[in-house]
Amino acid sequence: EDSRLVFRGLKIFISREVSRKLFEFIARAFGARVGWDGEGSPFGEGDEGITHQVVDRDFQKRRVLSREYVQPQWLADSANASLLLPVEGYAPGRPPPPHLSP
């Protein structure tokens, strides 16, 4: 399988507090479909097909059980590692693992 498409099949929503342009670029470059809160987004936060939601704070008013909530570093680290890393270490409100450099 092509490791450059590590996010293939994922539908990722980038929350408003996250720096969208950088993380949208990373997610798309590695095969994900990406949405955000605002104009031009191909889908909204309420889309039931979202697999991962990128958040920078642990304050979600309501969580959707069918999706994973991750910190932005999960996207960068998974891309650098060329594999989907376990999401548990990147849960909102937890200190993320040491940053992985390429």
Side-chain angles (χ1 to χ4, degrees):
E1 186 169 315
D2 190 344
S3 64
R4 293 172 295 168
L5 297 177
V6 69
F7 300 133
R8 179 186 289 173
L10 300 186
K11 195 170 193 179
I12 297 174
F13 185 83
I14 300 175
S15 295
R16 146 184 337 213
E17 74 277 6
V18 175
S19 175
R20 185 187 110 211
K21 288 185 180 185
L22 172 63
F23 293 103
E24 177 187 1
F25 176 80
I26 292 170
R28 283 185 192 275
F30 287 84
R33 291 182 294 157
V34 182
W36 56 89
D37 187 23
E39 276 190 47
S41 178
F43 55 89
E45 186 174 6
D47 189 301
E48 293 182 6
I50 294 170
T51 59
H52 294 75
Q53 185 160 342
V54 183
V55 297
D56 213 12
R57 291 185 276 236
D58 188 19
F59 71 90
Q60 298 299 313
K61 296 174 192 100
R62 63 179 183 87
R63 290 189 182 236
V64 178
L65 298 177
S66 62
R67 70 180 69 159
E68 300 286 353
Y69 290 84
V70 295
Q71 296 179 52
Q73 188 177 322
W74 177 79
L75 285 171
D77 288 354
S78 290
N80 283 335
S82 296
L83 60 96
L84 285 180
L85 295 172
V87 297
E88 293 78 23
Y90 298 88
R94 290 187 60 178
H99 184 67
L100 301 174
S101 294

PDB file of all heavy atoms in Angstrom, residues 46-65:
ATOM      1  N   GLY A  46     -21.500  18.400  11.515  1.00  0.00           N
ATOM      2  CA  GLY A  46     -22.563  17.443  11.785  1.00  0.00           C
ATOM      3  C   GLY A  46     -22.583  16.238  10.850  1.00  0.00           C
ATOM      4  O   GLY A  46     -23.385  15.319  11.035  1.00  0.00           O
ATOM      5  N   ASP A  47     -21.691  16.191   9.874  1.00  0.00           N
ATOM      6  CA  ASP A  47     -21.652  15.084   8.913  1.00  0.00           C
ATOM      7  C   ASP A  47     -21.381  13.771   9.647  1.00  0.00           C
ATOM      8  O   ASP A  47     -20.404  13.647  10.378  1.00  0.00           O
ATOM      9  CB  ASP A  47     -20.550  15.349   7.881  1.00  0.00           C
ATOM     10  CG  ASP A  47     -20.575  14.363   6.731  1.00  0.00           C
ATOM     11  OD1 ASP A  47     -20.456  13.144   6.992  1.00  0.00           O
ATOM     12  OD2 ASP A  47     -20.673  14.809   5.582  1.00  0.00           O
ATOM     13  N   GLU A  48     -22.244  12.807   9.440  1.00  0.00           N
ATOM     14  CA  GLU A  48     -22.121  11.527  10.152  1.00  0.00           C
ATOM     15  C   GLU A  48     -20.992  10.652   9.640  1.00  0.00           C
ATOM     16  O   GLU A  48     -20.632   9.666  10.274  1.00  0.00           O
ATOM     17  CB  GLU A  48     -23.450  10.778  10.105  1.00  0.00           C
ATOM     18  CG  GLU A  48     -24.526  11.484  10.904  1.00  0.00           C
ATOM     19  CD  GLU A  48     -25.838  10.726  10.912  1.00  0.00           C
ATOM     20  OE1 GLU A  48     -25.893   9.592  10.397  1.00  0.00           O
ATOM     21  OE2 GLU A  48     -26.815  11.277  11.442  1.00  0.00           O
ATOM     22  N   GLY A  49     -20.397  11.000   8.498  1.00  0.00           N
ATOM     23  CA  GLY A  49     -19.305  10.204   7.947  1.00  0.00           C
ATOM     24  C   GLY A  49     -17.927  10.595   8.454  1.00  0.00           C
ATOM     25  O   GLY A  49     -16.932   9.950   8.103  1.00  0.00           O
ATOM     26  N   ILE A  50     -17.845  11.632   9.286  1.00  0.00           N
ATOM     27  CA  ILE A  50     -16.544  12.086   9.800  1.00  0.00           C
ATOM     28  C   ILE A  50     -15.939  10.985  10.667  1.00  0.00           C
ATOM     29  O   ILE A  50     -16.592  10.458  11.572  1.00  0.00           O
ATOM     30  CB  ILE A  50     -16.692  13.391  10.605  1.00  0.00           C
ATOM     31  CG1 ILE A  50     -17.123  14.530   9.681  1.00  0.00           C
ATOM     32  CG2 ILE A  50     -15.391  13.745  11.327  1.00  0.00           C
ATOM     33  CD1 ILE A  50     -17.535  15.806  10.396  1.00  0.00           C
ATOM     34  N   THR A  51     -14.680  10.649  10.380  1.00  0.00           N
ATOM     35  CA  THR A  51     -13.993   9.613  11.155  1.00  0.00           C
ATOM     36  C   THR A  51     -13.120  10.202  12.260  1.00  0.00           C
ATOM     37  O   THR A  51     -12.933   9.583  13.299  1.00  0.00           O
ATOM     38  CB  THR A  51     -13.097   8.747  10.247  1.00  0.00           C
ATOM     39  OG1 THR A  51     -12.134   9.581   9.598  1.00  0.00           O
ATOM     40  CG2 THR A  51     -13.930   8.001   9.210  1.00  0.00           C
ATOM     41  N   HIS A  52     -12.566  11.405  12.013  1.00  0.00           N
ATOM     42  CA  HIS A  52     -11.665  12.047  12.977  1.00  0.00           C
ATOM     43  C   HIS A  52     -11.962  13.539  13.031  1.00  0.00           C
ATOM     44  O   HIS A  52     -12.153  14.160  11.987  1.00  0.00           O
ATOM     45  CB  HIS A  52     -10.199  11.865  12.573  1.00  0.00           C
ATOM     46  CG  HIS A  52      -9.746  10.444  12.625  1.00  0.00           C
ATOM     47  ND1 HIS A  52     -10.112   9.526  11.664  1.00  0.00           N
ATOM     48  CD2 HIS A  52      -8.970   9.794  13.512  1.00  0.00           C
ATOM     49  CE1 HIS A  52      -9.574   8.355  11.974  1.00  0.00           C
ATOM     50  NE2 HIS A  52      -8.872   8.485  13.082  1.00  0.00           N
ATOM     51  N   GLN A  53     -11.972  14.080  14.229  1.00  0.00           N
ATOM     52  CA  GLN A  53     -12.130  15.524  14.399  1.00  0.00           C
ATOM     53  C   GLN A  53     -10.889  16.050  15.104  1.00  0.00           C
ATOM     54  O   GLN A  53     -10.515  15.567  16.167  1.00  0.00           O
ATOM     55  CB  GLN A  53     -13.387  15.859  15.188  1.00  0.00           C
ATOM     56  CG  GLN A  53     -13.626  17.358  15.275  1.00  0.00           C
ATOM     57  CD  GLN A  53     -15.050  17.717  15.619  1.00  0.00           C
ATOM     58  OE1 GLN A  53     -15.968  16.900  15.489  1.00  0.00           O
ATOM     59  NE2 GLN A  53     -15.255  18.941  16.061  1.00  0.00           N
ATOM     60  N   VAL A  54     -10.237  17.028  14.472  1.00  0.00           N
ATOM     61  CA  VAL A  54      -9.009  17.607  15.007  1.00  0.00           C
ATOM     62  C   VAL A  54      -9.388  18.791  15.877  1.00  0.00           C
ATOM     63  O   VAL A  54     -10.024  19.747  15.412  1.00  0.00           O
ATOM     64  CB  VAL A  54      -8.066  18.049  13.867  1.00  0.00           C
ATOM     65  CG1 VAL A  54      -6.764  18.585  14.436  1.00  0.00           C
ATOM     66  CG2 VAL A  54      -7.795  16.886  12.919  1.00  0.00           C
ATOM     67  N   VAL A  55      -9.017  18.711  17.163  1.00  0.00           N
ATOM     68  CA  VAL A  55      -9.351  19.758  18.134  1.00  0.00           C
ATOM     69  C   VAL A  55      -8.098  20.162  18.886  1.00  0.00           C
ATOM     70  O   VAL A  55      -7.157  19.376  19.011  1.00  0.00           O
ATOM     71  CB  VAL A  55     -10.437  19.282  19.122  1.00  0.00           C
ATOM     72  CG1 VAL A  55     -11.737  18.971  18.399  1.00  0.00           C
ATOM     73  CG2 VAL A  55      -9.990  18.073  19.905  1.00  0.00           C
ATOM     74  N   ASP A  56      -8.087  21.390  19.375  1.00  0.00           N
ATOM     75  CA  ASP A  56      -6.920  21.875  20.107  1.00  0.00           C
ATOM     76  C   ASP A  56      -7.227  22.124  21.566  1.00  0.00           C
ATOM     77  O   ASP A  56      -6.370  22.564  22.315  1.00  0.00           O
ATOM     78  CB  ASP A  56      -6.392  23.151  19.442  1.00  0.00           C
ATOM     79  CG  ASP A  56      -4.886  23.286  19.561  1.00  0.00           C
ATOM     80  OD1 ASP A  56      -4.236  22.290  19.941  1.00  0.00           O
ATOM     81  OD2 ASP A  56      -4.362  24.366  19.280  1.00  0.00           O
ATOM     82  N   ARG A  57      -8.459  21.855  21.957  1.00  0.00           N
ATOM     83  CA  ARG A  57      -8.867  22.031  23.355  1.00  0.00           C
ATOM     84  C   ARG A  57      -9.830  20.917  23.704  1.00  0.00           C
ATOM     85  O   ARG A  57     -10.538  20.415  22.836  1.00  0.00           O
ATOM     86  CB  ARG A  57      -9.577  23.373  23.541  1.00  0.00           C
ATOM     87  CG  ARG A  57      -8.669  24.566  23.389  1.00  0.00           C
ATOM     88  CD  ARG A  57      -9.447  25.817  23.703  1.00  0.00           C
ATOM     89  NE  ARG A  57     -10.167  26.219  22.500  1.00  0.00           N
ATOM     90  CZ  ARG A  57     -10.058  27.394  21.934  1.00  0.00           C
ATOM     91  NH1 ARG A  57      -9.304  28.305  22.454  1.00  0.00           N
ATOM     92  NH2 ARG A  57     -10.734  27.681  20.844  1.00  0.00           N
ATOM     93  N   ASP A  58      -9.892  20.598  24.967  1.00  0.00           N
ATOM     94  CA  ASP A  58     -10.822  19.560  25.426  1.00  0.00           C
ATOM     95  C   ASP A  58     -12.075  20.224  25.973  1.00  0.00           C
ATOM     96  O   ASP A  58     -12.256  20.336  27.168  1.00  0.00           O
ATOM     97  CB  ASP A  58     -10.155  18.698  26.499  1.00  0.00           C
ATOM     98  CG  ASP A  58     -10.996  17.495  26.861  1.00  0.00           C
ATOM     99  OD1 ASP A  58     -11.879  17.124  26.078  1.00  0.00           O
ATOM    100  OD2 ASP A  58     -10.770  16.932  27.947  1.00  0.00           O
ATOM    101  N   PHE A  59     -12.912  20.726  25.065  1.00  0.00           N
ATOM    102  CA  PHE A  59     -14.106  21.434  25.511  1.00  0.00           C
ATOM    103  C   PHE A  59     -15.344  21.072  24.710  1.00  0.00           C
ATOM    104  O   PHE A  59     -16.348  21.765  24.778  1.00  0.00           O
ATOM    105  CB  PHE A  59     -13.878  22.949  25.445  1.00  0.00           C
ATOM    106  CG  PHE A  59     -13.834  23.471  24.048  1.00  0.00           C
ATOM    107  CD1 PHE A  59     -14.983  23.902  23.406  1.00  0.00           C
ATOM    108  CD2 PHE A  59     -12.642  23.517  23.354  1.00  0.00           C
ATOM    109  CE1 PHE A  59     -14.932  24.371  22.108  1.00  0.00           C
ATOM    110  CE2 PHE A  59     -12.592  23.987  22.062  1.00  0.00           C
ATOM    111  CZ  PHE A  59     -13.734  24.413  21.443  1.00  0.00           C
ATOM    112  N   GLN A  60     -15.269  20.016  23.944  1.00  0.00           N
ATOM    113  CA  GLN A  60     -16.378  19.672  23.055  1.00  0.00           C
ATOM    114  C   GLN A  60     -17.686  19.584  23.846  1.00  0.00           C
ATOM    115  O   GLN A  60     -17.784  18.843  24.809  1.00  0.00           O
ATOM    116  CB  GLN A  60     -16.108  18.341  22.352  1.00  0.00           C
ATOM    117  CG  GLN A  60     -14.883  18.361  21.470  1.00  0.00           C
ATOM    118  CD  GLN A  60     -15.005  19.393  20.359  1.00  0.00           C
ATOM    119  OE1 GLN A  60     -16.024  19.463  19.698  1.00  0.00           O
ATOM    120  NE2 GLN A  60     -13.980  20.176  20.166  1.00  0.00           N
ATOM    121  N   LYS A  61     -18.667  20.362  23.406  1.00  0.00           N
ATOM    122  CA  LYS A  61     -19.971  20.380  24.077  1.00  0.00           C
ATOM    123  C   LYS A  61     -20.642  19.019  23.968  1.00  0.00           C
ATOM    124  O   LYS A  61     -21.223  18.525  24.907  1.00  0.00           O
ATOM    125  CB  LYS A  61     -20.855  21.453  23.450  1.00  0.00           C
ATOM    126  CG  LYS A  61     -20.318  22.843  23.640  1.00  0.00           C
ATOM    127  CD  LYS A  61     -21.162  23.851  22.862  1.00  0.00           C
ATOM    128  CE  LYS A  61     -20.448  25.171  22.821  1.00  0.00           C
ATOM    129  NZ  LYS A  61     -19.749  25.412  21.569  1.00  0.00           N
ATOM    130  N   ARG A  62     -20.540  18.453  22.805  1.00  0.00           N
ATOM    131  CA  ARG A  62     -21.096  17.113  22.616  1.00  0.00           C
ATOM    132  C   ARG A  62     -20.134  16.331  21.740  1.00  0.00           C
ATOM    133  O   ARG A  62     -19.571  16.853  20.785  1.00  0.00           O
ATOM    134  CB  ARG A  62     -22.485  17.174  21.969  1.00  0.00           C
ATOM    135  CG  ARG A  62     -22.483  17.760  20.591  1.00  0.00           C
ATOM    136  CD  ARG A  62     -23.890  17.757  19.990  1.00  0.00           C
ATOM    137  NE  ARG A  62     -23.843  18.270  18.644  1.00  0.00           N
ATOM    138  CZ  ARG A  62     -23.598  17.533  17.563  1.00  0.00           C
ATOM    139  NH1 ARG A  62     -23.399  16.233  17.674  1.00  0.00           N
ATOM    140  NH2 ARG A  62     -23.554  18.073  16.364  1.00  0.00           N
ATOM    141  N   ARG A  63     -19.943  15.116  22.096  1.00  0.00           N
ATOM    142  CA  ARG A  63     -19.044  14.263  21.313  1.00  0.00           C
ATOM    143  C   ARG A  63     -19.877  13.277  20.515  1.00  0.00           C
ATOM    144  O   ARG A  63     -20.888  12.793  20.986  1.00  0.00           O
ATOM    145  CB  ARG A  63     -18.088  13.518  22.228  1.00  0.00           C
ATOM    146  CG  ARG A  63     -17.080  14.453  22.844  1.00  0.00           C
ATOM    147  CD  ARG A  63     -16.011  13.662  23.579  1.00  0.00           C
ATOM    148  NE  ARG A  63     -15.093  14.586  24.185  1.00  0.00           N
ATOM    149  CZ  ARG A  63     -13.798  14.584  23.975  1.00  0.00           C
ATOM    150  NH1 ARG A  63     -13.268  13.690  23.180  1.00  0.00           N
ATOM    151  NH2 ARG A  63     -13.018  15.454  24.565  1.00  0.00           N
ATOM    152  N   VAL A  64     -19.399  12.984  19.334  1.00  0.00           N
ATOM    153  CA  VAL A  64     -20.045  12.001  18.475  1.00  0.00           C
ATOM    154  C   VAL A  64     -19.278  10.699  18.673  1.00  0.00           C
ATOM    155  O   VAL A  64     -18.070  10.642  18.444  1.00  0.00           O
ATOM    156  CB  VAL A  64     -20.006  12.453  16.999  1.00  0.00           C
ATOM    157  CG1 VAL A  64     -20.641  11.410  16.105  1.00  0.00           C
ATOM    158  CG2 VAL A  64     -20.689  13.806  16.847  1.00  0.00           C
ATOM    159  N   LEU A  65     -19.975   9.685  19.128  1.00  0.00           N
ATOM    160  CA  LEU A  65     -19.315   8.425  19.482  1.00  0.00           C
ATOM    161  C   LEU A  65     -18.669   7.721  18.296  1.00  0.00           C
ATOM    162  O   LEU A  65     -17.738   6.946  18.469  1.00  0.00           O
ATOM    163  CB  LEU A  65     -20.306   7.489  20.171  1.00  0.00           C
ATOM    164  CG  LEU A  65     -20.870   8.007  21.494  1.00  0.00           C
ATOM    165  CD1 LEU A  65     -21.893   7.025  22.048  1.00  0.00           C
ATOM    166  CD2 LEU A  65     -19.761   8.248  22.501  1.00  0.00           C
TER     167      LEU A  65
END
